Amino acid sequence: MIAGTVGEMAGGDTSYYAQIASLTGFVVALLCLIAWLLRLSGLVTLISDSILVGFKAGAALTIAMTQLPSLLGVAGGGHNFFERHGALHRSKELAQLGFSPLREKLDQ
């Protein structure tokens, strides 16, 4: 996830890319260290299990929708879950394989 964002920020400059990626890693490590020192892991116990399950399910669906086009070898698109789902659902490559309602339109 970081590679795509850092790649856009670096603008093709590999040394700048390495600097931004390193800085990101150090900032995350610093935040983890601060959270550990302040014993903030106890805050997780205040979040209900249903909220955590919903968050994990949402993360899983989002990751799946970003990876499925590459896995199936079709063009993806969209900036959020619903746009990605729509682009995948309307994919003509999937319709040719028989995975989409567009198959009926292609057969006509």
Side-chain angles (χ1 to χ4, degrees), residues 65 68 77-78 80-91:
M65 289 310 296
L68 272 176
N80 60 44
F81 174 82
F82 297 107
E83 289 177 6
R84 288 184 184 121
H85 179 267
L88 189 62
H89 188 70
R90 290 184 302 271
S91 173

Side-chain angles (χ1 to χ4, degrees), residues 29-40:
L30 179 65
L31 290 173
C32 288
L33 180 65
I34 290 170
W36 177 74
L37 288 173
L38 296 176
R39 306 286 191 248
L40 295 180

Side-chain angles (χ1 to χ4, degrees), residues 5 12-13 18 21-22 26 28 57 61 70-71 92-93 95-96:
T5 305
D13 185 6
S22 299
F26 283 121
V28 169
L61 287 172
S70 298
L71 178 69
K92 290 183 181 174
E93 294 93 353
Q96 291 171 348

Side-chain angles (χ1 to χ4, degrees), residues 4 6 9 16 18 23 29 33 39-42 50 52-53 63 70 73 86-87 93-94 97 101:
V6 171
M9 292 172 62
Y16 192 52
L23 180 63
L33 180 65
R39 306 286 191 248
L40 295 180
S41 62
S50 60
L52 290 174
V53 168
I63 292 169
S70 298
E93 294 93 353
L94 281 182
L97 295 173

